[in-house]
Amino acid sequence: MQKTVAIGSLTLDNRVFLAPMAGITNLPMRLMARECGAALTFTEMVSVNGLTREGRKSFDLLKSVPADRPIGMQLFGDDAGMLAEAARLVEGYGELIDINMGCPVRKVVGTGAGSALLKEPLKVAGIIRSVRAATRLPFTVKIRTGWVCGDDSFLEIGRIAQEEGCDAVTLHPRSRAQMFDGKADWSRIAQLKGALRIPVIGSGDLFTAADVPLMLEQTGCDAVMIARGAMGNPWIFREALALLAGAAPGAPTPAERCAAARRHLELFSELEGERTALLEMRKHLSWYSKGLPGAAGFRAAVNAIEDPAGLVGAMESFFHG
Ligand SMILES: Cc1cc2nc3c(=O)[nH]c(=O)nc-3n(C[C@H](O)[C@H](O)[C@H](O)COP(=O)(O)O)c2cc1C
């Protein structure tokens, strides 16, 4: 029996979620995570500029299916009015709204969005107040520790989020300046958990299933989100849930690896068409094959294959060979 977690009015079946990753957590990737037990997934971050201008591409990022619910829709922007308008527009597309206040990339922070907001607590308060007034959906923010190392903005931003009506806060405990360098400092998650009454979700350096119970125990956080550890490794959810249930998970067999890679290809083909599936699966297969003997040769072969049947053949011989 898994412990559930409530985020506002939404009760999740367990405490292990798939984190948002731009360019990666599209619908096929999310369905793979779901099939292995992730209780909540997130869309890639969606620009409120695109949404409020009715950009088809932005709405495409919200595409989901019943098997991929409940879903968190992650928005980014820096304008309270536009974020509130976007929150209204997306209301029918998912069950939870999250605002990205952690993205470190220049293109995003240059517009004042993502982790640039960590430098502007007043603006953050205004944004959260406006979005809270615009939607009844459960509403969360995802933050980093601060703009630079040693900056403790996350505590102030976390308190603001709670006071202005957020239902949970996710912390990836690295600063903007760190990007993805060094180690995620889990003690910051524990600090935030100690400071807030609303649920705290931990993110950062969950590379193996064993890291999941470790983060929950060490930080006292209410749930965790896995990002890079889920690339080519949907079993991380199944294994983490087994550990949390007191069981000893087995590693995926070659047959299971092959079946999962085939399932991922099938989902991509069904949902996005064969051409996109072929191109996108190149990246995913490089992750599925990581660390296995012959992976470099397999990757090179996959990158030259131009038809789905050829891809399936290469997968069969690599994973079973
Ligand atoms: C390629 C990539 C894209 C990401 N895109 C997003 C995003 O769109 N929104 C977001 O909040 N975080 C994003 N993240 C951050 C992750 O959600 C997560 O917080 C971070 O990677 C730390 O977790 P991990 O160590 O499990 O990867 C991204 C991370 C990666 C590696």
Side-chain angles (χ1 to χ4, degrees), residues 172-184:
H172 171 203
R174 283 188 172 89
S175 66
R176 189 269 169 175
Q178 256 182 299
M179 304 296 277
F180 284 90
D181 289 346
K183 272 186 71 152

Side-chain angles (χ1 to χ4, degrees), residues 265 268 273-285 302-303 305-306 311:
L265 171 66
F268 250 126
E274 278 189 355
R275 184 73 201 145
T276 306
L278 259 179
L279 296 177
E280 282 286 317
M281 281 307 289
R282 291 178 179 173
K283 152 173 102 185
H284 290 277
L285 285 170
V302 160
N303 288 342
I305 291 172
E306 293 288 343
L311 193 57

Side-chain angles (χ1 to χ4, degrees), residues 32-78:
M32 292 302 295
R34 297 276 185 192
E35 290 179 8
C36 289
L40 179 67
T41 66
F42 286 82
T43 64
E44 304 171 58
M45 60 179 184
V46 189
S47 154
V48 295
N49 274 322
L51 289 170
T52 52
R53 293 197 197 117
E54 303 273 326
R56 195 182 54 80
K57 271 195 175 162
S58 301
F59 279 94
D60 280 352
L61 292 173
L62 301 176
K63 191 169 82 180
S64 183
V65 292
D68 184 35
R69 308 294 276 266
I71 189 167
M73 302 169 286
Q74 193 186 56
L75 309 179
F76 76 97
D78 83 316

Side-chain angles (χ1 to χ4, degrees), residues 97-154:
I97 291 178
D98 181 76
I99 296 186
N100 182 318
M101 299 191 179
C103 180
V105 308
R106 191 167 305 189
K107 219 168 83 184
V108 172
V109 297
T111 66
S115 56
L117 288 169
L118 300 174
K119 293 187 290 186
E120 306 221 44
L122 281 178
K123 195 167 172 181
V124 167
I127 287 174
I128 297 177
R129 201 172 308 138
S130 302
V131 173
R132 182 69 291 172
T135 181
R136 280 183 303 177
L137 288 181
F139 169 33
T140 60
V141 292
K142 185 162 177 286
I143 63 178
R144 284 187 174 232
T145 45
W147 185 251
V148 290
C149 292
D151 171 353
D152 284 346
S153 309
F154 69 102

Side-chain angles (χ1 to χ4, degrees), residues 111-271:
T111 66
S115 56
L117 288 169
L118 300 174
K119 293 187 290 186
E120 306 221 44
L122 281 178
K123 195 167 172 181
V124 167
I127 287 174
I128 297 177
R129 201 172 308 138
S130 302
V131 173
R132 182 69 291 172
T135 181
R136 280 183 303 177
L137 288 181
F139 169 33
T140 60
V141 292
K142 185 162 177 286
I143 63 178
R144 284 187 174 232
T145 45
W147 185 251
V148 290
C149 292
D151 171 353
D152 284 346
S153 309
F154 69 102
L155 287 171
E156 186 182 5
I157 301 287
R159 286 196 190 97
I160 290 172
Q162 176 172 277
E163 273 154 31
E164 299 293 347
C166 273
D167 296 302
V169 176
T170 302
L171 176 63
H172 171 203
R174 283 188 172 89
S175 66
R176 189 269 169 175
Q178 256 182 299
M179 304 296 277
F180 284 90
D181 289 346
K183 272 186 71 152
D185 180 356
W186 291 1
S187 71
R188 302 298 188 96
I189 299 175
Q191 230 179 320
L192 186 64
K193 175 65 193 163
L196 300 186
R197 294 181 309 276
I198 56 174
V200 169
I201 303 165
S203 167
D205 296 358
L206 298 171
F207 294 122
T208 69
D211 294 329
V212 167
L214 217 57
M215 180 186 272
L216 287 163
E217 275 159 33
Q218 283 184 11
T219 69
C221 68
D222 299 275
V224 301
M225 271 184 196
I226 302 174
R228 291 169 293 174
M231 292 171 167
N233 186 20
W235 308 280
I236 194 168
F237 296 98
R238 185 183 79 186
E239 292 170 7
L241 291 169
L243 287 172
L244 290 174
T253 62
E256 281 178 309
R257 283 184 186 280
C258 192
R262 286 192 64 165
R263 172 80 181 133
H264 204 148
L265 171 66
E266 181 186 282
L267 285 169
F268 250 126
S269 303
E270 260 173 46
L271 295 161

